[in-house]
Each structure stands twice: as structure tokens, then as C-alpha cells.
């Protein structure tokens, strides 16, 4: 990428419909004074997003409280909705969240490459990171970072996108109904990926079907002629008239994968129409293969270099806490600690059961399942059969019905209660711990 400024002050004024004034170029956009880099524009976001979104409440801090900290960190300018006494150039707007959305929309408008948006109940960050990594090997690519996938994370990620990049990759999430569609309309993706529909946040939706409807609403933002990528079997749920490409492990998918596992790696053979490709990825169960197929389908849809992408698949890693393997003192620890829902946890347990040595699972409770919580925790017991040890943590597992006998190594209210020295003594050389 070039070293050109991200925004000129005049561009900021025009994007926000403000009277043009002289001011500095800005190198980046920040809403957090703790991570602000010198030269950034600091946007003072208020904690309460109002009735438009429900994923954050009034308990959030008001960014105007941190203006002085932002200036001390080297902010080039401020974007505020309240009068402040500052010695740096300041843009005053009625609502800073609205202004952030305006900057995001303008950034999307000035970028003329291909944009990919990703949603799903699980695997969004992995898919986004993999897509970014593979595309960046080919051309300048901008992507969201961390888990910036909500009502402020998405427009912030867009506002940080240089207009010169060839590819943009954005993650879109939801905690409540009605959040994905407006975010997708802001991103205006050329390709939208729906990875899966799982019972995550089920306590905030009426049913799994309601979650499916919410996830499918990512298609509402597709640019004209855009492509919606779905797991095989969901194509009949898509809005009529949308160009749909399906992925899966069965012959009815448009992008079909066949898998051969060799140790800690998997060879994936892909068929897409008359095209044939192969690539290696780190083995991690069926869900990881499906994520790779969705990424492959997206790259194919934006006409990326698929030969180069297949070569790059073998070097892909997992984001922290999402299934990456850490070798410690002769044991392999699968760090899948970021989040969980019943389906993703089942996939992780199935992958653990494929390991040849001793297999131990430490399971934290699953949250936001509402009235389904007890049944869904209970349903995991059958997937723990065949393991050599199981430890549970948290209230959701407090009355866990199981038939594991002496393979059940105990329950703890919190992870801090686990005696790590005692656990280590029960592990055999080469053991794998989930």
C-alpha cells in the first residue's frame, strides 16, 4: 500500500457535509484513546447507540471523557458531538456514531476493488483472517481486525480502508434480530459469505429459523450482480434473484470438497464445475474444512488467483482461541476458548476424538442459549463418549447428566479452581487437551 494519508481534512469535511476548513491529513481512525496512534482522527463515540442497535447499552462509556487522553496520545484531530476545549482541529457533528457511518459509506464509495463480507454463527474471524491472508499475497488488501463486526466495528473498519486497495474483507456479526441487514447495506459487498447457521445467541432469537433469516439478510447489501455464498442446503432459503454459490462435502454443492486426513493436516480436493484444485490445511475437523471451502468459493467469485491461493492454504493459522494448537511440555493443547455454541463444540469434540493418543476435554459453559441451555448442555454428553477425561466449568454444567464414569474428572465453578499440577499428572505423553 502507499504511504498516502488515509483522509485529508477536506475529505472529512465533505463526507460529513460540513463547511470545508483547513486541517491536517489523518493517518488513521480511532475510537479508543488507549490504542490511538499519533496522527489518527479520534472519534468520540457515545456508549448508547440508541434504538437502532441493541448489542450495546447505556452502560458504555462516552468517548468525550477521553478527549484529553486522545490528544496526549497524538491525535491529529477530533470528531465530537459536544463542544470541547481542545488545541487540535475539531469537527463538530450532531451524532458521532452517525458520522462514523458516513465516513464508512464514503470509504466504501471511493474504493473500486472487490469487497467480501462474512457472517455466520461460528468461524467468521477465521474466515476473514484466511481470506485476507490469501488475497494479500496477490494485491493490496484491507480487512477488519479483531472482532470489529458490530454497529461501530463495521463502519470503523470501513473508515480505515484506503481507497487504493484492490480487496476489502469485512466481518459482520449480530447479537439480536435486525442488525446484519443495515451493516451489509453499508458494506455493499460484491461477495457475501454465510458460513453456517448454528444455535448461537439463541436466547435472543425466537428460534433457529429466526437466526437463519437474520444471517441470510446479509444478501440485502449485495452490490448489483453480487454473489451469495451459502452452505449446501440453504440455497432454497435465499432471496429469489440472488446469484447463489453453495459449498459443502456432498456432490450437490457448487464447490465440493473431499478430504483425506494425514496426521495433523488434511488434503482437500475441490471440484467447482469443470475446475479441479487441491490444497492442504491444518486438520481441525469438518468445520475447518467447510470454512476453507467457503473462502475458496469467495476467492473464485472475485476472480482471485486460485493456484496461488491453494498454495497459500497450507500456511494459514487459526486466530487465537479458535482452535489453534499449542504444544506445552509434551502435550498438545487445542485452544478453542474464544466462544462456543452446541454445534461448534460438537465439531471440536469430534475432532478431538480423531486424535490417536490420550484425549481430554475441558468444557466451559455455553452462554446466551435461553430456555434451551439445559438441554443443549445435556446433549453434549454423548459426544464425550470415547474421550479419556472430561472436566466441566461453569453453571451450565453444574447438574450435567452424563454416563462417563471415572472418565469424568470433575466440575468447577470457575476455571481458576482447576488444579493444573494434578491435571498434568493425569496426562500421558502426547496427550491432547481441548
Amino acid at each position: 500500500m502507499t504511504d498516502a494519508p488515509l483522509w485529508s481534512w477536506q475529505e472529512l469535511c465533505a463526507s460529513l457535509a460540513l463547511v470545508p476548513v483547513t486541517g491536517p491529513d489523518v493517518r488513521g481512525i480511532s475510537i479508543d484513546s488507549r490504542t490511538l496512534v499519533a496522527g489518527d482522527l479520534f472519534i468520540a463515540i457515545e456508549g448508547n447507540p440508541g434504538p437502532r442497535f441493541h448489542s450495546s447499552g447505556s452502560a458504555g462509556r462516552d468517548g468525550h471523557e477521553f478527549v484529553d487522553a486522545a490528544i496526549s496520545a497524538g491525535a491529529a484531530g477530533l470528531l465530537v458531538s459536544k463542544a470541547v476545549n481542545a488545541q487540535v482541529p475539531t469537527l463538530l457533528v450532531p451524532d458521532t456514531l452517525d458520522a462514523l457511518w458516513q465516513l464508512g459509506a464514503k470509504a466504501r464509495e471511493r474504493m473500486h476493488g472487490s469487497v467480501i463480507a462474512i457472517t455466520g454463527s461460528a468461524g467468521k474471524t477465521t474466515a476473514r483472517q484466511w481470506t485476507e491472508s490469501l488475497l494479500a499475497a496477490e494485491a493490496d488488501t484491507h480487512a477488519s481486525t479483531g472482532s470489529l463486526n458490530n454497529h461501530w466495528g463495521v463502519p470503523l473498519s470501513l473508515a480505515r480502508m484506503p481507497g487504493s486497495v484492490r480487496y476489502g474483507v469485512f466481518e459482520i456479526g449480530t447479537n439480536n434480530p435486525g442488525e446484519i441487514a443495515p451493516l451489509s447495506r453499508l458494506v455493499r459487498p460484491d461477495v457475501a459469505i454465510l458460513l453456517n447457521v448454528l444455535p448461537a445467541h439463541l436466547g435472543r432469537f425466537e428460534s433457529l429459523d429466526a437466526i437463519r433469516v437474520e444471517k441470510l439478510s446479509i444478501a440485502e447489501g449485495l452490490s448489483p450482480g453480487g454473489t451469495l455464498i451459502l452452505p449446501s442446503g440453504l440455497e432454497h432459503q435465499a432471496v429469489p434473484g440472488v446469484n447463489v454459490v453453495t459449498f459443502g462435502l456432498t456432490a450437490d454443492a457448487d464447490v465440493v470438497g473431499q478430504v483425506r486426513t494425514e496426521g495433523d493436516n488434511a488434503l482437500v480436493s475441490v471440484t467447482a464445475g469443470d475446475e479441479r484444485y487441491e490444497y492442504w490445511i491444518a486438520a481441525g475437523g469438518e468445520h475447518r474444512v467447510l470454512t476453507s471451502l467457503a473462502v475458496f468459493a469467495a476467492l473464485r467469485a472475485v476472480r482471485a488467483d486460485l493456484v496461488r491461493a491453494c498454495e497459500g492454504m497450507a500456511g494459514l493459522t487459526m486466530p487465537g482461541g479458535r482452535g489453534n494448537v499449542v504444544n506445552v511440555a509434551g502435550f498438545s493443547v487445542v485452544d478453542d476458548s474464544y466462544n462456543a455454541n452446541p454445534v461448534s463444540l460438537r465439531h471440536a469434540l469430534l475432532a478431538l476424538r480423531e486424535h490417536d493418543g490420550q484425549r481430554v476435554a475441558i468444557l466451559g459453559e455455553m452462554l446466551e442459549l435461553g430456555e434451551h441451555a439445559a438441554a443443549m448442555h445435556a446433549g453434549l454428553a454423548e459426544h464425550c463418549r470415547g474421550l479419556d477425561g472430561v472436566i466441566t466449568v461453569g453453571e451450565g454444567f453444574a447438574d450435567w447428566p452424563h454416563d462417563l464414569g471415572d472418565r469424568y474428572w470433575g466440575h468447577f465453578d470457575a476455571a481458576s479452581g482447576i488444579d493444573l499440577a494434578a491435571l498434568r499428572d493425569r496426562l500421558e505423553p502426547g496427550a491432547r487437551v481441548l
Side-chain angles (χ1 to χ4, degrees):
M1 296 184 185
T2 68
D3 195 38
L6 180 64
W7 294 90
S8 71
W9 200 258
Q10 289 72 27
E11 284 180 307
L12 293 172
C13 292
S15 300
L16 300 171
L18 298 175
V19 175
V21 294
T22 301
D25 294 335
V26 301
R27 314 297 299 185
I29 304 291
S30 175
I31 63 171
D32 189 337
S33 62
R34 297 167 299 180
T35 56
L36 183 144
V37 175
D40 284 356
L41 174 73
F42 177 68
I43 304 179
I45 298 292
E46 297 188 41
N48 187 351
R52 297 163 294 180
F53 291 92
H54 307 283
S55 52
S56 292
S58 57
R61 301 293 297 272
D62 185 342
H64 293 83
E65 300 173 21
F66 303 97
V67 163
D68 290 342
I71 295 172
S72 296
L78 306 174
L79 177 58
V80 297
S81 61
K82 302 173 184 177
V84 295
N85 184 18
Q87 300 304 311
V88 297
T90 301
L91 300 169
L92 182 63
V93 296
D95 186 298
T96 50
L97 180 59
D98 286 346
L100 178 60
W101 276 62
Q102 288 174 265
L103 292 181
K106 181 61 178 179
R108 177 64 181 95
E109 178 185 321
R110 70 182 185 178
M111 184 269 199
H112 302 293
S114 297
V115 171
I116 298 171
I118 302 168
T119 196
S121 299
K124 294 184 293 297
T125 299
T126 299
R128 186 259 303 156
Q129 182 171 295
W130 285 3
T131 303
E132 176 191 6
S133 178
L134 296 171
L135 289 175
E138 179 179 335
D140 285 350
T141 300
H142 172 81
S144 50
T145 58
S147 294
L148 295 180
N149 60 26
N150 64 0
H151 62 278
W152 55 261
V154 172
L156 177 62
S157 297
L158 278 168
R160 289 172 168 172
M161 179 171 63
S164 60
V165 298
R166 181 173 170 185
Y167 296 113
V169 186
F170 300 93
E171 188 178 327
I172 297 179
T174 182
N175 291 321
N176 293 276
E179 294 182 341
I180 287 180
L183 292 171
S184 181
R185 288 193 290 268
L186 181 66
V187 173
R188 292 194 292 114
D190 301 292
V191 176
I193 303 175
L194 171 51
L195 289 169
N196 43 51
V197 178
L198 308 175
H201 308 298
L202 188 55
R204 299 181 183 181
F205 288 83
E206 293 181 357
S207 64
L208 187 60
D209 188 60
I211 296 176
R212 182 181 300 110
V213 170
E214 174 70 10
K215 301 296 185 187
L216 284 166
S217 70
I218 194 172
E220 294 189 23
L222 275 173
S223 59
T227 300
L228 177 63
I229 295 174
L230 298 173
S232 179
L234 275 185
E235 59 269 25
H236 303 299
Q237 304 288 330
V239 177
V242 173
N243 178 35
V244 173
V245 172
T246 60
F247 65 91
L249 302 176
T250 55
D252 57 343
D254 298 314
V255 175
V256 183
Q258 293 181 311
V259 187
R260 186 178 83 242
T261 302
E262 295 186 8
D264 281 339
N265 296 294
L267 177 63
V268 183
S269 301
V270 182
T271 302
D274 296 330
E275 304 168 40
R276 304 288 187 275
Y277 297 89
E278 283 188 343
Y279 56 81
W280 289 92
I281 61 170
E286 179 180 298
H287 59 305
R288 190 172 297 180
V289 173
L290 289 171
T291 297
S292 75
L293 291 173
V295 170
F296 179 92
L299 268 57
R300 182 169 177 262
V302 298
R303 296 179 174 83
D305 185 335
L306 295 180
V307 173
R308 180 187 296 210
C310 288
E311 293 171 351
M313 287 278 192
L316 296 175
T317 58
M318 298 296 294
R322 294 169 172 87
N324 44 307
V325 180
V326 182
N327 293 309
V328 181
F331 313 123
S332 60
V333 179
V334 183
D335 177 10
D336 208 348
S337 57
Y338 176 75
N339 207 345
N341 63 65
V343 177
S344 64
L345 186 46
R346 186 177 74 233
H347 282 310
L349 290 167
L350 290 173
L352 178 64
R353 287 166 59 175
E354 294 175 1
H355 182 64
D356 291 334
Q358 185 189 36
R359 299 155 298 180
V360 177
I362 304 175
L363 307 179
E365 68 173 319
M366 301 174 292
L367 304 179
E368 298 182 4
L369 295 177
E371 63 184 13
H372 308 280
M376 289 186 169
H377 281 86
L380 292 173
E382 64 178 290
H383 302 292
C384 292
R385 294 176 190 147
L387 299 181
D388 300 291
V390 177
I391 294 172
T392 56
V393 178
E395 184 179 350
F397 282 110
D399 300 311
W400 192 45
H402 65 85
D403 56 358
L404 300 175
D406 58 8
R407 289 172 296 146
Y408 187 51
W409 291 3
H411 173 78
F412 299 87
D413 293 334
S416 58
I418 300 174
D419 185 334
L420 294 180
L423 172 61
R424 179 197 59 208
D425 291 342
R426 300 186 75 165
L427 297 178
E428 302 170 359
R432 176 156 293 197
V433 182
L434 171 66

